[in-house]
Amino acid sequence: MLKFAASFALSAALLAIPVSATTAGQKISNDLNKCRSGNGPAVLVKLSGVKASSGKIRVQSYRGTKAEWLKKGAWITRIEAPAKSNSMTFCVPVPTSGTYGIAVRHDVNGNGKTDIRSDGGGMSNNPSINIFNLGKPSYKKTKFAVGNEVKSINIKMKYL
């Protein structure tokens, strides 16, 4: 039951990250060459637990601050790619060294809407999710520091 509540809460949080929202951020391609040694600052995001090779995966970067984490229109970059089951890797360049957070969404059927029973997601540092915060963990649980290097992080996808 707790796992169900956590998954439901995560799905609710993903509603705050609409697929087709108009934002001030920049849509970029997934260019893994930008995460080669010496190309920082950037974040190499390694996803595991991708449920299916259908739909789209969306990776969004945010500043790791209370004012910007998961706020509509506050994302810095967005990468969208066709989903591949099991694992995927993304390179997310960041503008400068600093504190960031990463949010990932899997729109399994590609309809551009959050489907609580099928879609999944994950966040940097893999925080636990609970129903009381509607699946939006604090920026304190998801933030991480990036210097001028390429920072590697692992995110485990969560589904209902």
Side-chain angles (χ1 to χ4, degrees):
M1 183 67 173
L2 184 57
K3 183 178 180 184
F4 173 79
S7 295
F8 179 80
L10 176 63
S11 295
L14 296 173
L15 289 170
I17 313 170
V19 170
S20 59
T22 303
T23 68
Q26 180 182 13
K27 292 182 182 179
I28 61 173
S29 64
N30 186 27
D31 184 354
L32 294 176
N33 289 323
K34 292 183 179 179
C35 279
R36 287 191 177 166
S37 181
N39 285 349
V43 182
L44 185 65
V45 179
K46 298 175 184 179
L47 295 183
S48 63
V50 178
K51 177 166 105 171
S53 292
S54 62
K56 288 189 176 187
I57 296 285
R58 181 182 59 213
V59 179
Q60 291 184 170
S61 62
Y62 292 85
R63 295 196 191 286
T65 65
K66 183 177 181 178
E68 295 184 36
W69 172 241
L70 295 180
K71 302 291 191 238
K72 185 175 180 179
W75 53 270
I76 301 165
T77 57
R78 172 187 288 170
I79 299 171
E80 291 184 352
K84 294 181 182 154
S85 65
N86 299 319
S87 62
M88 297 179 72
T89 303
F90 292 86
C91 179
V92 183
V94 293
T96 62
S97 59
T99 304
Y100 296 92
I102 300 288
V104 181
R105 176 170 181 247
H106 183 188
D107 180 8
V108 175
N109 64 8
N111 69 355
K113 299 177 182 177
T114 298
D115 300 306
I116 293 173
R117 298 216 178 266
S118 61
D119 292 348
M123 297 177 192
S124 44
N125 298 330
N126 298 300
S128 60
I129 308 295
N130 71 59
I131 195 74
F132 301 110
N133 66 6
L134 297 177
K136 292 183 182 183
S138 163
Y139 73 99
K140 293 176 184 176
K141 291 184 177 183
T142 59
K143 71 179 181 172
F144 58 93
V146 178
N148 289 319
E149 80 285 358
V150 175
K151 171 84 173 185
S152 182
I153 66 169
N154 297 303
I155 296 178
K156 182 170 172 48
M157 297 296 290
K158 297 177 184 179
Y159 297 86
L160 184 62

